[in-house]
Amino acid sequence: MSSHTPPRLGMLTPSSNTCLEPETYALLQGASAATAHFARVPVTRIALDGDSDAQFAFGPMLEAARQLADAEVDVIAWNGTSGSWLGPDRDRALTRAITEATGIPATTSTLALLDACAAYGVTRLGLALPYTPDVCERIVKTYADEGIECDLAEPFGVDDNEAFARIPAADVSAQIERAARNAVHAVAVVCTNVHGAQQAAPLEQKLGLPVFDSVTATLWKALDLAGVAPALPGRGDLMRSGSLRARIGETLTGLLAATGADRTTFRVDLPEHALHVDITAGEALRPGVRAIRRDASLDQRRLNTVEWLEAHRTPLIQPHFEAEPHPPEALVDVYGVRAQMLAPVETGGAMTGWISVHSLRERDWTDTDTAALAAAVTRIRTAL
């Protein structure tokens, strides 16, 4: 990776796209986080046929990627959502091919959207799409294969890629609102030639949900890969908090593997990132274990175990729940927890939050387990 500052982001752009360049520049304006540089590849029509699929062959993309490499960019992103109907494995293969050809880390819009869903624990996603119904249904299936159930707002039914950018902003906003129904965890605008980026922040406030615009998601992931870890206000929650949430998720997943536990969570009070301890900031689960992520039924700071953490500021190691402090009944009766480790996370002398490690059976926690917990605390404090 080159040493220039700020980082340079290389974007492979559909040739008929008129949205993503101005939207990307607008998102970066005033931030000094990075500069964006574009190369175009021929894409004019979106359909489920051989001619349309041929537009996304690797050859032209690799040629354009090599041209971006001449500019010594730090990341290369395919800023198109074709992987959402052709399959993310195709995009994963493309990113590997780009990196092999250029030595530069790579991502795509679809992979960025999937990473955003992972960072926010989204398993039910509202879709706002411009495409024809058959393409939209293929996208629903693609995301279902990735473990994300989708609720599809009525699509605009367009197949001309250039025309996507001419869909009025008011219509895009209305479609996002329709996609936010039926208890979805977030909404995604899946097309980098639809002007959804500027709608995200105000709609998030109105809907109480994250809105993942494809242009914004691609920029977020490119910045993250470049080591910027953006925390930019006013550009939607993903640009403000997505990288923090991703680091939390990665830490919890590692802790789950290191301890062989059934669930790990992190709760934190961080108003600038719209995080509050009553809803987890992150969760990792073993297969088949019930998620606790969105359960806000308890006043977490008033729990016996959390008050103990606040008073002692040291890990609470519980191989069983025979001794005080006792956990809330719901943790045992509803979620089946029989043993746990809790560790406070302090910033500025205050207990900002805590990590929980849950076991569905009684167990003696080992020195290896407690060491993994301590390492996770350090990683999350660094991320905060």
Side-chain angles (χ1 to χ4, degrees):
M1 188 171 289
S2 48
S3 59
H4 46 72
T5 302
R8 298 171 184 169
L9 311 178
M11 301 290 187
L12 300 173
T13 307
S15 59
S16 53
N17 189 307
T18 60
C19 167
L20 74 86
E21 288 157 313
E23 291 285 14
T24 299
Y25 289 135
L27 288 164
L28 288 172
Q29 186 175 11
S32 301
T35 58
H37 310 272
F38 301 86
R40 289 181 175 254
V41 295
V43 176
T44 59
R45 179 173 171 270
I46 304 303
L48 300 183
D49 57 46
D51 291 340
S52 179
D53 292 354
Q55 298 174 112
F56 307 108
F58 286 8
M61 293 195 187
L62 292 177
E63 181 179 354
R66 293 187 183 97
Q67 293 173 355
L68 287 171
D70 291 344
E72 297 186 3
V73 296
D74 296 285
V75 177
I76 295 175
W78 161 229
N79 212 322
T81 53
S82 55
S84 291
W85 62 88
L86 297 178
D89 283 345
R90 185 183 178 111
D91 275 15
R92 294 176 183 119
L94 174 62
T95 60
R96 290 193 297 268
I98 290 172
T99 301
E100 289 170 2
T102 65
I104 297 170
T107 189
T108 75
S109 298
T110 295
L111 297 181
L113 286 168
L114 291 174
D115 286 342
C117 288
Y120 285 76
V122 173
T123 57
R124 183 168 176 80
L125 180 66
L127 290 178
L129 309 178
Y131 310 113
T132 54
D134 57 339
V135 174
C136 296
E137 291 303 323
R138 180 71 63 84
I139 291 172
V140 169
K141 182 181 184 305
T142 296
Y143 281 73
D145 290 343
E146 295 292 314
I148 301 171
E149 181 183 357
C150 292
D151 196 80
L152 176 65
E154 184 177 355
F156 291 112
V158 181
D159 66 0
D160 178 4
N161 194 72
E162 186 276 335
F164 296 151
R166 290 188 272 114
I167 299 171
D171 292 350
V172 175
S173 293
Q175 188 190 48
I176 291 170
E177 291 193 44
R178 290 194 299 272
R181 299 169 184 169
N182 298 326
V184 298
H185 302 150
V187 174
V189 180
V190 183
C191 180
T192 61
N193 202 26
V194 167
H195 288 276
Q198 303 307 314
Q199 322 302 323
L203 281 174
E204 286 179 337
Q205 294 296 317
K206 180 178 181 179
L207 301 172
L209 294 172
V211 177
F212 301 145
D213 168 72
S214 293
V215 175
T216 306
T218 310
L219 177 60
W220 162 69
K221 190 60 183 183
L223 287 167
D224 202 58
L225 285 174
V228 174
L232 304 176
R235 296 162 174 85
D237 199 81
L238 184 61
M239 289 290 281
R240 177 182 62 183
S241 305
S243 292
L244 174 61
R245 287 178 179 269
R247 297 294 90 75
I248 290 169
E250 291 163 4
T251 299
L252 294 174
T253 298
L255 179 59
L256 189 77
T259 59
D262 295 296
R263 180 192 297 108
T264 54
T265 68
F266 176 56
R267 298 177 183 272
V268 65
D269 281 318
L270 210 60
E272 62 269 31
H273 289 278
L275 293 171
H276 186 275
V277 294
D278 287 345
I279 293 287
T280 66
E283 179 181 57
L285 299 168
R286 290 176 65 84
V289 174
R290 182 175 179 178
I292 203 171
R293 185 164 194 149
R294 289 180 168 80
D295 186 341
S297 60
L298 298 176
D299 183 350
Q300 293 289 326
R301 290 278 184 182
R302 299 294 299 275
L303 301 183
N304 293 336
T305 48
V306 176
E307 290 181 341
W308 188 97
L309 283 182
E310 184 69 74
H312 293 81
R313 301 296 181 91
T314 190
L316 173 61
I317 311 300
Q318 296 182 297
H320 49 71
F321 297 138
E322 295 174 7
E324 294 184 349
H326 297 299
E329 292 181 2
L331 190 68
V332 178
D333 297 340
V334 177
Y335 293 100
V337 177
R338 297 293 183 269
Q340 67 177 355
M341 297 190 294
L342 307 179
V345 175
E346 298 179 73
T347 55
M351 192 179 86
T352 310
W354 60 93
I355 298 174
S356 302
V357 182
H358 294 158
S359 172
L360 302 188
R361 59 179 177 82
E362 294 185 357
R363 59 177 283 181
D364 291 322
W365 301 101
T366 68
D367 290 344
T368 300
D369 297 330
T370 56
L373 179 59
V377 169
T378 298
R379 285 193 291 272
I380 284 185
R381 286 185 62 186
T382 300
L384 295 179

